[in-house]
Amino acid sequence: MENITELKVGKKLNEGKTKEVYELPELPGYVLMQSKDQITAGNAARKDHMEGKAAISNKTTSCVFKLLQEAGVKTAFVRKYSDTAFVAAQCEMIPIEWVCRRIATGSFLKRHPGVKEGYKFYPPKREMFFKDDANNDPQWSAEQILAAKFNCAGLLIGQTEVDIMSRSTVAIFEILEKAWSTQDCTLVDMKIEFGVDVSKKEIVLADVIDNDSWRLWPSGDRSQQKDKQTYRDLKEVTPEAMQMVKRNFEWVAARVELLLESAHQGRVVVLMGSISDLLHCEKIKKSCANYGIPCELRVTSAHKGPDETLRIKSEYEGDGVPTVFVAVAGRSNGLGPVLSGNTAYPVVNCPPLTADWGAQDVWSSLRMPSGLGCSTVLSPEAAAQFAAQIFGLSNHLVWSKLRSSTLNTWISLKQADKKLRECSI
C-alpha cells in the first residue's frame, strides 16, 4: 500500500459534517477519508466554509494517528494519501462519542453546577455520549451502552468491549496530553470515536482527531486557546473572525508535527563480561529497539581489565548523550559495582543466571557495598523496560510506548478472560 500513488475512488459510503468516506474498489477493507473545508458548531447549528480547513485537519489527524500508532495504539489510520485525505481501514462505527477531561470547562460545568472551571480530574474524567444529532448527543452511561446491544461488523458490544474503549480513551488522552506538554500546551479535554475493523473484527480508534476534537490552552491559559472553541465563541462570523480561527488551526497543525519528535534522546550501553553472554545481551538490544532506544553492546571485564572498563565508560560519559549502563556478568558480577562506583549515570545489573550456580551468583548483583546505587533486573526484557522508564521521564515518545504497552497488556488479559468464559459457557 505504501507504494500506491494513485487510488481508484469508488462510491461515497458516508458523509459527515466535516468529512466524506469513499470506498476503494481496488483495496477491499479500506476506505478514503476525505476532509471538507467546513467548520461547524452546535451539531451544525452554526456552519461556515473555511478555505484550507480540509488540508489543515488532514495534516493534524495524520500526525496524531501516526504518533498513536507508533506508540502502539491500534487505529484505523493507514497513511496520508493527499493534502486533504487519508487511507483508513474500513470500520463499522460504534455510535458513541468518548470524552476525556483533565480540566472542568465547557458543557461539563453546565451539567454539573457548582463545579468551578479549572477543577482538575485525577485520573482524567471519562464521559460517553450517544451520537444523535436530533437530540444533541445525549450523555449515556455504560449500562445504557450495554442495553443498546450494538452489533458492529459482527461484534456484539458487551462489557469487555465497553471496558476496552473506556480504558483506551484514558490512555490515548494521556499519550496526547504528554505530547502536547512538550510544546507548553495543555490538553484540556478531547473526544474520540471507536469502530470495529470489518476485516479484523477488532475495536480500533477510528474517525479523526483534529482541532475540532479537543481543547488546547497554550501555557494552560484559556485566553490563548487555539482550538475550535474560538469559533464557537464568535458573537458574529465575519471574514476577519474566520481568519483568526484559521490562524489558530494553522498554529496547531504546525506544532502537531513537532509531537512526532523528541528533543531528549538517550541510549543504552550493555557491557558484557564475556562474549558468551552475547545472546542474553542481544535480547536487551531487541527490547530497547521496541521502545525506539539505541543500544550498543560492548565486551569488557571489570575483574580482568578494570582500566579498560573505566575507559569504555568514559567514552559514553564524554559526549553528553544521556546513557543507561546495563552490566551483564555471570558468576561474580564485578561490572555493575565497578561502573556504579565510578559514574553518576544509572547502572542496571542483568546477570545471565544459570541453573546450576544461579542462586549463588545472583548475590554478587544484590549485595552491594555502601554508596553504590545499581539495581538488579533478571529478565533482559525487563532491563530494557527499566531503562525505557528512565528515559520516559523526559522523552514523551518513549513514555508513550510504555503507556501503550500497559494498555495492550490489559486489553489482551481482558480478551483472554472473555474467550475463556465463552468456552466455559
Side-chain angles (χ1 to χ4, degrees), residues 160 412-422:
T160 295
S412 65
L413 291 170
K414 193 78 177 176
Q415 291 173 330
D417 181 61
K418 177 187 176 183
K419 187 174 293 186
L420 179 62
R421 285 185 289 116
E422 289 174 343

Side-chain angles (χ1 to χ4, degrees), residues 99-324:
V99 174
C100 196
R101 304 180 187 275
R102 177 66 78 188
I103 298 174
T105 190
S107 66
F108 185 89
L109 301 179
K110 297 177 183 177
R111 287 181 284 108
H112 299 85
V115 178
K116 292 184 178 180
E117 183 171 45
Y119 179 87
K120 291 191 174 181
F121 301 106
Y122 300 106
K125 170 73 79 174
R126 283 164 291 190
E127 297 179 303
M128 297 86 78
F129 298 86
F130 177 55
K131 289 179 67 64
D132 180 2
D133 286 351
N135 291 296
N136 295 314
D137 298 343
Q139 185 172 5
W140 271 24
S141 65
E143 290 75 18
Q144 286 174 291
I145 298 175
L146 294 173
K149 290 183 166 47
F150 295 122
N151 191 309
C152 300
L155 180 66
L156 179 65
I157 306 303
Q159 188 66 61
T160 295
E161 290 69 33
V162 170
D163 290 346
I164 287 173
M165 289 185 285
S166 179
R167 184 67 67 108
S168 298
T169 296
V170 173
I172 290 164
F173 177 86
E174 289 178 343
I175 289 171
L176 295 177
E177 177 185 43
K178 179 75 74 172
W180 274 113
S181 70
T182 66
Q183 302 300 311
D184 188 28
C185 198
T186 299
L187 180 61
V188 175
D189 54 36
M190 68 179 299
K191 60 181 180 180
I192 57 176
E193 295 180 38
F194 295 92
V196 178
D197 186 318
V198 299
S199 299
K200 298 179 181 178
K201 307 300 181 185
E202 65 178 0
I203 291 176
V204 295
L205 176 66
D207 197 51
V208 300
I209 299 180
D210 57 19
N211 209 32
D212 294 4
S213 308
W214 51 32
R215 285 186 175 91
L216 287 173
W217 296 353
S219 302
D221 183 355
R222 181 185 172 180
S223 68
Q224 298 184 49
Q225 61 189 1
K226 298 293 184 181
D227 51 84
K228 193 173 78 169
Q229 192 63 38
T230 55
Y231 172 73
R232 296 188 189 100
D233 291 345
L234 292 178
K235 291 183 173 62
E236 181 183 359
V237 177
T238 64
E240 294 76 19
M242 290 302 296
Q243 280 300 311
M244 179 272 293
V245 172
K246 183 178 180 180
R247 284 194 299 270
N248 286 338
F249 274 61
E250 290 171 335
W251 184 95
V252 171
R255 280 156 183 79
V256 79
E257 278 189 307
L258 302 178
L259 306 186
L260 298 172
E261 303 173 359
S262 175
H264 302 278
Q265 302 299 324
R267 68 181 165 216
V268 170
V269 176
V270 180
L271 293 92
M272 66 192 88
S274 168
I275 195 63
S276 63
D277 299 325
L278 181 60
L279 183 60
H280 188 83
C281 297
E282 285 180 334
K283 292 179 181 178
I284 299 174
K285 184 173 183 177
K286 181 180 179 181
S287 294
C288 284
N290 293 335
Y291 298 109
I293 302 172
C295 179
E296 297 183 28
L297 306 182
R298 303 293 296 267
V299 181
T300 182
S301 171
H303 285 125
K304 302 170 185 176
D307 55 336
E308 179 65 7
T309 297
L310 295 177
R311 187 198 66 78
I312 292 174
K313 170 197 69 80
S314 298
E315 285 182 26
Y316 296 101
E317 289 177 319
D319 62 6
V321 178
T323 301
V324 172

